[in-house]
Amino acid sequence: MKIEVLKDITSANDAIADRNRGTLDKHNVLTLNVMSSPGAGKTSLILNTIDRLRNELNLAVIEGDVASKIDADKIDSQGIPVIQINTGASCSLEAQMITPALNRLPLENIDLLFIENVGNLICPAEFALGEHKKVVIASTPEGDDKPTKYPLMFTEADTVVINKLDLLPYLEFDFAGFRKAVEGLNPKVKIFEVSCKTGAGIDAWCSWISAEAKRGRV
Amino acid sequence: MKIEVLKDITSANDAIADRNRGTLDKHNVLTLNVMSSPGAGKTSLILNTIDRLRNELNLAVIEGDVASKIDADKIDSQGIPVIQINTGASCSLEAQMITPALNRLPLENIDLLFIENVGNLICPAEFALGEHKKVVIASTPEGDDKPTKYPLMFTEADTVVINKLDLLPYLEFDFAGFRKAVEGLNPKVKIFEVSCKTGAGIDAWCSWISAEAKRGRV
């Protein structure tokens, strides 16, 4: 009975997500749904990307948080259009929350939209928002076992970004084991290794985004 | 309508949690519900506690994970009774999942039961399990803004453990700001600072547990 209700919710969600994607496609807005555990570096990766690509692409951000507007304030301070969604008790953004945010953004002038999801490796994997790519960030201090413990998130990912490379000297993190676990769940996934603190690996990540944004415009 | 359903779920859950607590009280089993983000150190804190207190108290563990039995295997390797609960799509343990696990544990011989919840700062705050204390672990690399971003979890906590002190030289973490945010939400909370890697602060944490376990037996 409970499962049936969940199915109804997710199929209704998917229909709205498809409409959101249609709206985004009409305006050629490449949209990335960024997901991770709390504190893995979603906002930091978005800020790094803004810094590198703001002269090349017009960016905007939708911020999802249970509470607060801490992250939205950081984006706003960069002069980038940002809309905060507070989900309250809900552990994920859902497609219906995105629709009114899209209506408030100047989509005709935007090339790249980040949707920063709620910090959580479980619920956000279940809700399409209308994005073109799902990006999952895994940070080194969380440990290399996360793909095995949260398999749906890593199965759903188009791209996995391993962040906090700068902390590697002080941690145990088995890169080969992590990659093997992710690729076992998801053979087509693209993996980047970065440090949002030092900037290591950010060039490769931004090159991928640029290529995806150009491909969308052809 | 959706909110009404959630209320029904949580009040049904609370009734089962009360029955679980009754069972635990009958056998004088101090029970701690341990919650955190993925990779903040729940299993590491439990393993440190086993190491320090195993000659003083009889311990057992219930492990909650979406998938896998990685953590349960670590506990089992210490010769401590452990029961794995895989929640599948569910983002939290619920009281009804705990009842059959309690039936399978030798409660008459157990003094201290850890329930390691699913790695998530949102859903587990909403479901009582029958525990005596809610312990929330926050790790330094997650950042000091977590109480503001996940207020319900820090409001529900009886005890907050700040873990990964060993990484402090390589991070920015405002202890005073973190404490102020937690105490603003929750004036009665008890806060410990530890490193599960170096053992710093573990004595104070274990002294608190010992005192709580003794109090339960009076």
Side-chain angles (χ1 to χ4, degrees):
Chain A
M1 177 66 168
K2 232 167 124 189
I3 291 169
E4 287 309 311
V5 174
L6 184 61
K7 274 185 187 165
D8 288 346
I9 289 172
T10 55
S11 69
N13 179 80
D14 286 351
I16 301 170
D18 287 344
R19 286 206 296 277
N20 289 345
R21 194 175 298 106
T23 302
L24 292 160
D25 284 343
K26 199 171 79 180
H27 296 285
N28 270 326
V29 182
L30 173 65
T31 300
L32 307 181
N33 177 3
V34 184
M35 300 177 279
S36 78
S37 300
K42 295 181 292 301
T43 312
S44 297
L45 185 67
I46 292 169
L47 287 169
N48 266 271
T49 310
I50 288 171
D51 191 47
R52 301 284 177 112
L53 293 182
R54 65 183 307 154
N55 292 330
E56 181 184 333
L57 299 170
N58 291 315
L59 290 94
V61 180
I62 296 172
E63 282 290 341
D65 286 287
V66 168
S68 90
K69 61 184 190 69
I70 295 174
D71 294 339
D73 287 342
K74 291 180 188 169
I75 304 299
D76 183 58
S77 74
Q78 298 299 312
I80 298 294
V82 57
I83 294 187
Q84 175 76 56
I85 300 174
N86 282 339
T87 63
S90 178
C91 54
S92 176
L93 287 173
E94 297 168 25
Q96 61 169 340
M97 303 175 188
I98 302 300
T99 310
L102 296 183
N103 291 337
R104 289 169 57 198
L105 284 169
L107 295 180
E108 62 284 5
N109 297 326
I110 295 172
D111 306 308
L112 172 60
L113 173 64
F114 283 106
I115 303 177
E116 181 177 337
N117 219 312
V118 174
N120 186 324
L121 284 184
I122 306 164
C123 322
E126 294 171 21
F127 292 92
L129 304 179
E131 72 282 328
H132 299 102
K133 300 283 181 188
K134 293 184 177 184
V135 177
V136 177
I137 305 177
S139 66
T140 57
E142 291 172 74
D144 48 45
D145 59 1
K146 292 302 157 292
T148 308
K149 294 174 84 171
Y150 302 90
L152 183 62
M153 181 57 83
F154 289 88
T155 303
E156 287 285 321
D158 296 292
T159 303
V160 170
V161 178
I162 308 175
N163 186 29
K164 306 195 188 183
L165 287 189
D166 53 286
L167 291 177
L168 273 182
Y170 321 111
L171 300 168
E172 287 162 36
F173 188 90
D174 173 5
F175 272 95
F178 181 93
R179 279 181 172 270
K180 193 176 164 190
V182 173
E183 289 165 355
L185 291 164
N186 187 345
K188 290 184 183 169
V189 74
K190 192 153 181 60
I191 302 179
F192 293 95
E193 299 176 10
V194 310
S195 165
C196 289
K197 189 170 178 181
T198 67
I202 298 292
D203 280 345
W205 155 254
C206 287
S207 296
W208 174 74
I209 292 181
S210 288
E212 289 294 326
K214 277 176 197 134
R215 186 192 314 206
R217 283 197 219 112
V218 173
Chain B
M1 177 68 170
K2 232 167 123 189
I3 292 170
E4 287 307 313
V5 174
L6 184 61
K7 275 185 187 164
D8 288 346
I9 290 171
T10 55
S11 68
N13 179 80
D14 286 352
I16 301 170
D18 287 344
R19 286 206 294 277
N20 290 344
R21 193 175 298 105
T23 303
L24 292 160
D25 284 343
K26 199 171 78 181
H27 297 284
N28 270 325
V29 182
L30 173 66
T31 300
L32 307 182
N33 177 3
V34 184
M35 300 177 279
S36 78
S37 299
K42 294 181 292 302
T43 312
S44 297
L45 185 66
I46 293 170
L47 288 168
N48 266 270
T49 310
I50 289 171
D51 191 47
R52 300 285 178 112
L53 293 182
R54 65 183 307 155
N55 292 329
E56 181 185 331
L57 298 170
N58 291 315
L59 289 94
V61 180
I62 295 173
E63 282 291 342
D65 286 287
V66 167
S68 91
K69 60 185 189 72
I70 295 174
D71 294 338
D73 286 342
K74 290 179 188 169
I75 304 298
D76 183 58
S77 75
Q78 298 298 312
I80 298 293
V82 57
I83 294 187
Q84 175 76 57
I85 300 174
N86 283 339
T87 63
S90 178
C91 53
S92 176
L93 288 172
E94 297 169 25
Q96 61 171 342
M97 303 176 188
I98 301 301
T99 310
L102 296 183
N103 291 337
R104 289 170 56 198
L105 284 169
L107 296 180
E108 63 282 5
N109 298 326
I110 295 172
D111 306 308
L112 172 60
L113 173 64
F114 282 105
I115 303 177
E116 181 176 338
N117 219 313
V118 174
N120 186 326
L121 283 185
I122 306 165
C123 321
E126 293 171 21
F127 292 92
L129 304 178
E131 71 282 332
H132 299 100
K133 299 284 180 187
K134 293 185 177 183
V135 176
V136 177
I137 304 177
S139 66
T140 57
E142 292 172 74
D144 48 46
D145 59 1
K146 294 300 156 290
T148 308
K149 294 174 85 171
Y150 302 91
L152 183 62
M153 182 58 84
F154 289 89
T155 303
E156 287 286 321
D158 296 293
T159 303
V160 170
V161 178
I162 307 174
N163 186 27
K164 307 196 187 181
L165 286 190
D166 53 288
L167 292 176
L168 273 183
Y170 321 111
L171 299 168
E172 286 162 35
F173 188 91
D174 173 4
F175 271 96
F178 181 93
R179 280 180 172 268
K180 192 177 164 190
V182 173
E183 289 165 354
L185 292 163
N186 187 345
K188 289 183 182 169
V189 74
K190 192 155 182 57
I191 302 179
F192 293 95
E193 299 177 7
V194 311
S195 165
C196 289
K197 190 169 177 181
T198 67
I202 297 292
D203 280 344
W205 157 253
C206 287
S207 296
W208 175 74
I209 292 182
S210 288
E212 289 293 327
K214 279 178 194 131
R215 186 191 316 205
R217 286 199 215 109
V218 174

